[in-house]
Every structure is written in C-alpha cells, then in structure tokens.
Amino acid sequence: MTRTRTRARTRSRAAVCAAALLALAMTGVTGCTDEDRQAAEDIVSSATAAVASAAEEKMNQVKDGVNATDNVKAGATGTDGDRTTAEITATNPTDSNADYTVWVNFRDADGNLLDAVVLSIDGVEPAGSKTSTARSNRTLSGATKAEIQQALRH
C-alpha cells in the first residue's frame, strides 16, 4: 500500500529540504524527492522575491531622492561570520554634504538573485567618498557578486 502525503507534511518536508538546499547549494541532498526539491526551490524563490520587494519598498520611502546609481560602486564580496558582505562606496559629485540610500543585490555566478539589502551612507562630504558595508540577510553559499540595483542621493 502506498503512503499518501498530506499537504502539511509535504510543505514541512519542503521547508526542511529548502534549508538543506540552501546549506548545500542545492547539490547532493538525499531524502528529498523531486517534488520536495521543487517545492523547496519555490520557497527559496518566494523568499528572495519578498526580500527584493521589501528593498524596493524602502527605496520608495526616500523623499526627494535623486538617482545616484552612477555615483555608487560595489566592491568584491567577502564574509563576516556566516554572512556575505561587500564594501559599497558612494562618491558625492555635488558641492554640499549628501546622504545615500543604496539597494544592493547579491547574485550567484549565474546571475540569479540570492538576497537584497538596503543601506544608508550618511554625510558624504562634497567631492568626497565614503564607504559602508552591505551585509546579506542570511547565509549565502557559493560564489557571489554584489551589484548596485539603485542608489538615491538626498
């Protein structure tokens, strides 16, 4: 007689598999069926989309921001504990102090979005630069790259 899985049990196994897939970069996970694996990938995709949506919402809250994406650069990624980090540098081309709100995406080697964060770089002096660290919201595995999605000067 075949076992029938309930929806709750399938979702529970999918959540466990999602955690395993994240930890093992979606390779070599035993005990996960193709159905579980797909459900886990869907969960990860949904969570990543939610993080990107939250980043967009934060950017939309900035009042009187001027597009300054060309004035902000992302450095190479590194790690701090279990999080991925990147040095983000804002260069102020204006003649007065400026604050920057920056949306940083972390992507894998294939260009897939892994995480998104928003950070502030405050008090950048005229014709000066200032650096801050973007830190992923969760543990990311494999090679990652930071990119500037959007930057606002205000």
Side-chain angles (χ1 to χ4, degrees), residues 59-116:
M59 295 302 290
N60 288 338
Q61 293 173 358
V62 175
K63 302 294 181 214
D64 301 321
V66 175
N67 183 1
T69 305
D70 290 341
N71 303 129
V72 180
K73 304 295 179 217
T77 57
T79 56
D80 179 14
D82 65 343
R83 303 305 167 111
T84 300
T85 61
E87 295 298 311
I88 308 300
T89 303
T91 302
N92 181 1
T94 69
D95 58 1
S96 59
N97 277 2
D99 297 331
Y100 290 79
T101 302
V102 184
W103 174 355
V104 180
N105 286 332
F106 289 99
R107 295 191 179 272
D108 66 14
D110 294 326
N112 297 309
L113 181 63
L114 301 174
D115 201 0

